[in-house]
Amino acid sequence: MAALRYSGLDDTDSEDELPPCWEQRTTKDGWVYYANHTEEKTQWEHPKTGKRKRIAGDLPYGWEQETDENGQVFFVDHINKRTTYLDPRLAFTVDENPTRPTTRQRYDASTTAMEILQGRDFTGKVVVVTGANSGIGFETAKSFALHGAHVILACRNMTRANEAVSRILGEWRKAKVEAMTLDLALLRSVQHFAQAFKAKNVSLHVLVCNAAAFALPWSLTKDGLETTFQVNHLGHFFLVQLLQDVLCCSAPARVVVVSSESHRFTDINDSSGKLDFSRLSPSKSDYWAMLAYNRSKLCNILFSNELHRRLSPRGVTSNAVHPGNMMYSSIHRNWWVYTLLFTLARPFTKSMAA
């Protein structure tokens, strides 16, 4: 195929030769997809064989992967001094087995974290999950660890964090998992965590900003800010800023911000449409726990979108996710009314593993 010959490779498999107007491309994480320039569409399946493919192996010696200003991957051949948007490994793709009898083909409310990552190998990848000693943070950390990643549980309570580490090791003794102290209600602790992580001199491929507080009575942190706002948003914002250089050097990398559908039920602008900073960290007289939570989750969304705009050209993507309506977790533990509501709703919610 001409495209592969341009990359210095020869194609000998005529079955995989693309019809006219089709082009073969790759994603950052190694999946092959196909673009039709006439119909202006893309698809995962090969237009002739219907197969899905993935890249196999590392880049050839002298090649390096980069990302342009539009977030599209391109490749630099330092030996021959040239660049191309064609992955030089396209001649060495492998078929993705389409039959996975134990895994749904379409993710839904019952899909577990383990099923999401089934078949993926995260060996050599470093993942940090905040608030990972319980709830969806624990399930996320466990799934990454059992798929080969080096996972760091960033938690305030080290006793519970170490118990979570033991639970993961109990499922697979070779899992590479550890706990580190991170108190998002104290900006000095966030700074100390970032310094300690950098001292490890490792990459950071995935940062999951998961920790959150819900239904807290009004209080100020030692930094003088309303606690829900600082724990749910500002602490994570500060953490990402401190680790931004590590993320960029580890590209392709990803930041995942766990937000909530409840961000739709609030606003942080005043009546004139301008940002009202007093709503972010309100006084005691203006405080309502649920509204504070909703506003912090809206800040999560805005932050994630802007972070993606700024860092995606450097190979770091950012996504905000809603984990599911009324997911039963320990997040409600601060007030008995919410505990009662969550208990009543439990039969109709997602399980923790999902």
Side-chain angles (χ1 to χ4, degrees):
M1 189 161 52
L4 293 177
R5 286 196 295 271
Y6 175 75
S7 295
L9 303 169
D10 292 323
D11 176 40
T12 58
D13 187 358
S14 58
E15 180 191 45
D16 286 339
E17 186 172 354
L18 291 170
C21 303
W22 285 88
E23 180 186 353
Q24 192 172 213
R25 298 176 180 174
T26 55
T27 64
K28 292 178 182 178
D29 54 359
W31 287 95
V32 177
Y33 68 100
Y34 304 90
N36 186 314
H37 298 295
T38 301
E39 300 179 14
E40 296 184 350
K41 69 175 184 179
T42 60
Q43 63 187 53
W44 296 110
E45 296 79 12
H46 190 285
K48 286 177 63 177
T49 67
K51 296 178 180 178
R52 292 193 179 196
K53 292 181 176 292
R54 296 190 67 186
I55 294 298
D58 298 325
L59 285 168
Y61 176 76
W63 285 82
E64 183 179 5
Q65 179 178 292
E66 300 284 353
T67 307
D68 65 19
E69 58 184 9
N70 297 317
Q72 187 171 351
V73 175
F74 68 95
F75 302 87
V76 181
D77 180 358
H78 293 290
I79 296 177
N80 297 309
K81 310 297 183 184
R82 61 176 179 173
T83 62
T84 176
Y85 282 89
L86 296 168
D87 192 318
R89 297 168 295 176
L90 281 172
F92 308 104
T93 56
V94 294
D95 291 344
E96 177 67 12
N97 186 1
T99 57
R100 291 180 180 176
T102 61
T103 305
R104 294 172 181 83
Q105 296 299 308
R106 180 175 177 270
Y107 299 140
D108 57 27
S110 299
T111 306
T112 66
M114 291 297 291
E115 289 176 332
I116 292 290
L117 296 185
Q118 182 170 335
R120 301 293 300 274
D121 183 6
F122 282 85
T123 302
K125 303 297 184 182
V126 180
V127 179
V128 171
V129 184
T130 68
N133 56 272
S134 63
I136 58 176
F138 173 76
E139 295 296 333
T140 301
K142 181 179 74 171
S143 184
F144 273 119
L146 298 186
H147 284 84
H150 174 188
V151 182
I152 295 173
L153 282 64
C155 306
R156 177 179 57 87
N157 187 321
M158 287 304 292
T159 299
R160 296 180 64 188
N162 286 323
E163 290 174 355
V165 168
S166 298
R167 288 166 61 192
I168 295 174
L169 292 174
E171 294 200 32
W172 187 36
R173 63 181 181 81
K174 293 185 178 181
K176 195 171 184 180
V177 57
E178 61 179 302
M180 292 179 62
T181 303
L182 173 65
D183 185 355
L184 293 165
L186 186 62
L187 295 181
R188 180 180 298 176
S189 174
V190 178
Q191 191 171 29
H192 288 167
F193 173 87
Q195 292 171 345
F197 178 83
K198 290 182 177 180
K200 292 178 175 292
N201 196 30
V202 296
S203 300
L204 178 55
H205 301 98
V206 181
L207 171 58
V208 182
C209 299
N210 162 76
F214 178 78
L216 293 179
W218 183 87
S219 65
L220 295 179
T221 66
K222 292 183 179 180
D223 300 301
L225 296 163
E226 190 277 312
T227 303
T228 300
F229 171 66
Q230 180 166 332
V231 171
N232 293 7
H233 172 64
L234 193 63
H236 282 129
F237 177 91
F238 189 37
L239 177 65
V240 173
Q241 302 311 304
L242 294 174
L243 297 179
Q244 178 176 308
D245 54 339
V246 183
L247 286 163
C248 291
C249 290
S250 308
R254 183 183 299 272
V255 176
V256 179
V257 182
V258 180
S259 183
S260 170
E261 189 73 13
S262 65
H263 80 275
R264 301 181 184 276
F265 308 118
T266 188
D267 198 354
I268 55 176
N269 294 332
D270 59 22
S271 57
S272 64
K274 294 183 180 180
L275 178 62
D276 185 354
F277 286 99
S278 66
R279 297 189 180 191
L280 301 181
S281 183
S283 63
K284 186 174 183 179
S285 60
D286 295 327
Y287 180 78
W288 180 36
M290 192 68 218
L291 191 57
Y293 178 81
N294 294 351
R295 286 171 176 167
S296 70
K297 296 290 106 178
L298 176 57
C299 289
N300 288 164
I301 299 285
L302 298 174
F303 166 57
S304 179
N305 288 347
E306 179 62 16
L307 183 69
H308 182 79
R309 187 187 71 81
R310 295 190 182 195
L311 295 190
S312 58
R314 301 176 64 183
V316 180
T317 59
S318 179
N319 302 94
V321 300
H322 169 50
N325 289 321
M326 294 294 290
M327 176 177 285
Y328 190 87
S329 71
S330 58
I331 195 172
H332 56 79
R333 63 184 177 272
N334 296 296
W335 192 26
W336 69 268
V337 173
Y338 285 116
T339 299
L340 176 61
L341 290 174
F342 272 63
T343 302
L344 293 174
R346 186 175 189 180
F348 310 101
T349 63
K350 296 171 64 175
S351 69
M352 192 54 55

